[in-house]
Amino acid sequence: MNIIVCCKVVPEEQDIVVKDDGSIDLSRAAAKISQYDLNAIEAAMNLAGEGGQVTALTAGSPKWLESTKIRKDILSRGPHKLEIIMEPALEGALPDATAALLAPACREIGFDLIICGEGSGDLYAQQTGLLLGEMLDIPAINAVSSIAVENGALVVERELEREQEILEMPLPALVCVSSDINTPKIPTMKAILSAAKKPANVREGGEVKSLSEVVSICAPKAAERKNEIVEGDAEEKVDAFIAMLRKVLQG
Amino acid sequence: MSEFPTVFVIADSPEAFNELVPAAAALGAKTEAIYVGADEAAARRALALGAGRLHVSPARTGQIFEDHADTLAALVKGSGAALVLMRADKRGRAMAAKLGVKLGAAVVNDVSSIEEGVFGHMAYGGLAQAREKPGSPLVIATVAPGTFKAVEMESGDGAVEKLEFIEPKHPIRLRQSKARQASSADIGKAKRLVGVGRGFSKKEDISLAQKLADAIGAEIACSRPIAEGEQWLERERYIGVSGAMVKPDLYLAAGISGQVQHMVGVKDAKTIVVINKDKNAPIFRFADYGIVGDLYKILPALAKALG
């Protein structure tokens, strides 16, 4: 089985700075693998087993993808090789633009199955995977909570808001997996060391083009909070806190 | 003046029309509804709510809603529609992407506002609000629940048209479908919530939060790891960008660190109260009242004092 797992490198949310005018400053944010994509990588490794081939595919700006650290991080989670689409214009790109670059790369790499996370940690538009499947003209479905292969077809469980489904999909196919499909393992020291020896290939990107334009991204004004904090849990401190809470409850 | 000439709304459950059809009517000169499912009678409410026409693509054995994408695309194509609205649930997002590619339309998910052709939605885990301007003649938007006011309506009259099903090229076969057990919790409606986080070291300890919740008439809610990683509580109880967004009068967070993805779900809470042993936990920045200390000591004291 030949699996492509798509993963996005996103800024660490904890490092994002909101400036006074509400604008977002990513310059100090460290790169990390989008958390939902860790589930996708884990799912790919579990399904591939011993004999399968797993290729990680990522697309983004050199700002995030030039780092060997992040490349090794992806590879240490199991994939046999990494394909990188690097374009400066992919910084902040919308899902349709990203999917349009992923599609030809997937065709070139070749696959039986593409696995994506449910949504990215930054935009969380939950679109890129589904758009990619449709652009590749293969069956694609989201909210997948378990995957198995039976008689050459994919059997997936799908967890929706009001129902659970068991679906059979012909291969090749694409699935977006939900974060409860597995618990991603922390890479072992051996996996981290061997990641350095795995191939990472940078590909030609191409034009980054979206049907939409981002007008603005800014932080909404956060509600003013009173910020009355009691420090310590000695009895009198707890009593002071209870008094506060009583006031709130009487509202 | 109407912003869009014709707006289509698509739903797989008749209740979805309660919010979507009035929204479409407010945004467009003409509204047409599409229903995919088996309960055509209930779907007729779309007409009473203001849709000029109801198109029905009847449910098919062994096939899923998403298999109707070609059928719906054929109808919307050439109809002159400028906007398609759907619910921002998992099916809605899947259908939106399929229609987007088939119709060359921009897709915007989890839309919270539509004004002068600019669509608002969350970004960076809820830290920011993005405003996006689609450039395509047709836009497909999935709408976050509660964005528009729902109107209750049970029946209606008007033209109903059955759609001719177009067999998808790669049908997905439905082997089995079962309704999910309705959760006993509806944290969206609760006035008071007690949130449980990683600060609890085992599942049994949640009883400490439950006792306080019982004492003050609150529901139990939680952060993502508690529902998805540990599976100590049902998924319906988890608050955050990929879970529930709530607006209680009181949110009391115990042992929750306060990642932005969680906090965005309670940003509209009237009062936020925090218990955490880590003085530097980001959650204290969002607190009206807080205490730095051991929840194992504090929760029982609260339950006793307030019960």
Side-chain angles (χ1 to χ4, degrees):
Chain A
M1 184 118 175
N2 217 338
I3 303 175
I4 296 178
V5 58
C6 297
C7 51
K8 187 175 187 180
V9 174
V10 299
E12 168 66 61
E13 304 86 9
Q14 307 297 343
D15 303 339
I16 298 176
V17 179
V18 177
K19 294 205 266 193
D20 288 342
D21 61 356
S23 63
I24 304 290
D25 179 7
L26 302 177
S27 61
R28 267 173 284 176
K32 71 165 188 182
I33 306 168
S34 173
Q35 61 173 333
Y36 306 102
D37 295 344
L38 294 177
N39 297 102
I41 298 173
E42 184 82 16
M45 296 321 298
N46 290 344
L47 189 67
E50 290 289 304
Q53 177 74 23
V54 177
T55 305
L57 172 63
T58 186
S61 138
K63 178 177 160 193
W64 306 109
L65 297 178
E66 250 166 6
S67 124
T68 44
K69 187 166 162 255
I70 196 79
R71 294 179 183 185
K72 274 206 303 210
D73 191 6
I74 297 170
L75 287 167
S76 71
R77 292 168 197 268
H80 305 98
K81 59 183 170 88
L82 172 63
E83 294 282 338
I84 303 165
I85 302 171
M86 214 156 65
E87 279 292 336
L90 278 171
E91 177 67 17
L94 289 168
D96 61 336
T98 307
L101 293 191
L102 292 172
C106 286
R107 272 193 213 106
E108 269 178 49
I109 298 163
F111 60 90
D112 301 304
L113 176 65
I114 301 175
I115 304 182
C116 299
E118 191 76 1
S120 64
D122 51 359
L123 289 180
Y124 199 58
Q126 301 168 76
Q127 262 189 58
T128 309
L130 292 160
L131 290 175
L132 173 61
E134 200 58 33
M135 286 175 185
L136 290 168
D137 199 14
I138 54 174
I141 214 74
N142 58 348
V144 167
S145 58
S146 108
I147 330 176
V149 176
E150 278 179 33
N151 306 321
L154 199 65
V155 177
V156 306
E157 284 179 35
R158 196 173 180 224
E159 196 84 19
L160 297 164
E161 285 81 358
R162 287 170 302 154
E163 67 249 68
Q164 291 164 304
E165 290 177 342
I166 299 175
L167 305 174
E168 207 177 291
M169 303 169 77
L171 291 170
L174 180 147
V175 292
C176 302
V177 298
S178 65
S179 54
D180 54 359
I181 190 167
N182 53 42
T183 307
K185 285 192 279 290
I186 294 161
T188 60
M189 192 45 81
K190 194 173 153 224
I192 294 169
L193 291 172
S194 72
K197 298 185 208 103
K198 291 180 182 172
N201 174 41
V202 177
R203 312 174 65 88
E204 285 287 315
E207 198 187 351
V208 178
K209 226 171 86 186
S210 173
L211 288 169
S212 299
E213 173 201 342
V214 177
V215 181
S216 66
I217 292 189
C218 67
K221 276 230 169 316
E224 292 274 327
R225 298 286 174 188
K226 293 192 183 67
N227 249 275
E228 293 177 24
I229 312 294
V230 176
E231 285 199 36
D233 53 17
E235 205 181 319
E236 71 274 12
K237 299 277 184 189
V238 176
D239 285 344
F241 180 64
I242 288 171
M244 287 173 170
L245 200 49
R246 249 189 237 286
K247 221 169 58 190
V248 173
L249 292 170
Q250 280 156 12
Chain B
M1 205 185 72
S2 302
E3 210 174 307
F4 301 92
T6 303
V7 181
F8 271 85
V9 301
I10 301 175
D12 67 325
S13 82
E15 311 80 64
F17 287 130
N18 293 355
E19 185 173 342
L20 294 177
V21 175
L27 290 163
K30 239 172 76 188
T31 303
E32 302 210 14
I34 307 175
Y35 170 65
V36 179
D39 195 353
E40 187 192 308
R44 281 176 180 266
R45 74 179 65 188
L47 298 162
L49 287 158
R53 227 179 335 179
L54 172 66
H55 307 267
V56 178
S57 192
R60 296 169 66 89
T61 320
Q63 283 182 311
I64 57 173
F65 171 68
E66 290 79 356
D67 279 326
H68 293 250
D70 286 304
T71 306
L72 305 192
L75 173 67
V76 176
K77 193 176 183 169
S79 68
L83 177 67
V84 174
L85 291 181
M86 268 178 280
R87 248 189 197 178
D89 56 13
K90 294 192 167 107
R91 282 201 193 290
R93 293 190 194 101
M95 183 61 91
K98 285 173 196 291
L99 293 179
V101 175
K102 287 180 197 299
L103 298 168
V107 179
V108 196
N109 274 336
D110 295 281
V111 166
S112 54
S113 68
I114 303 174
E115 267 168 43
E116 294 175 19
V118 176
F119 292 65
H121 62 91
M122 279 188 320
Y124 297 112
L127 189 66
Q129 186 72 16
R131 294 171 69 239
E132 216 171 298
K133 194 175 173 67
S136 52
L138 173 67
V139 183
I140 317 243
T142 66
V143 178
T147 302
F148 299 102
K149 203 173 168 315
V151 179
E152 294 292 330
M153 205 76 85
E154 288 304 329
S155 65
D157 269 320
V160 178
E161 279 170 38
K162 282 240 161 60
L163 294 175
E164 185 89 31
F165 185 74
I166 300 170
E167 202 57 61
K169 212 161 117 196
H170 313 286
I172 293 171
R173 201 171 73 80
L174 177 65
R175 271 195 188 176
Q176 201 192 94
S177 168
K178 61 172 189 220
R180 285 177 57 149
Q181 263 195 337
S183 166
S184 54
D186 189 351
I187 63 167
K189 290 205 179 102
K191 291 262 178 252
R192 292 171 178 175
L193 290 169
V194 175
V196 172
R198 274 257 161 92
F200 287 77
S201 46
K202 56 183 195 294
K203 185 179 176 181
E204 291 68 38
D205 299 343
I206 294 176
S207 66
L208 298 175
Q210 186 66 57
K211 280 186 191 127
L212 173 61
D214 292 343
I216 63 171
E219 277 284 353
I220 294 284
C222 63
S223 61
R224 196 171 77 100
I226 301 299
E228 289 199 340
E230 305 288 359
Q231 300 186 0
W232 289 348
L233 287 168
E234 305 108 291
R235 189 188 249 276
E236 285 73 14
R237 291 189 191 268
Y238 112 63
I239 293 174
V241 65
S242 52
M245 308 288 258
V246 295
K247 298 177 184 174
D249 289 340
L250 169 65
Y251 181 56
L252 190 151
I256 290 181
S257 66
Q259 284 200 353
V260 61
Q261 289 93 333
H262 176 72
M263 294 317 293
V264 67
V266 288
K267 69 175 169 30
D268 295 324
K270 207 189 270 170
T271 303
I272 296 182
V273 177
V274 170
I275 303 170
N276 202 300
K277 66 174 180 217
D278 176 8
K279 181 172 118 194
N280 297 315
I283 196 160
F284 281 112
R285 292 203 304 265
F286 302 92
D288 288 296
Y289 304 100
I291 181 162
V292 182
D294 183 2
L295 65 91
Y296 284 87
K297 205 169 142 188
I298 297 164
L299 284 178
L302 293 186
K304 195 171 156 218
L306 301 168

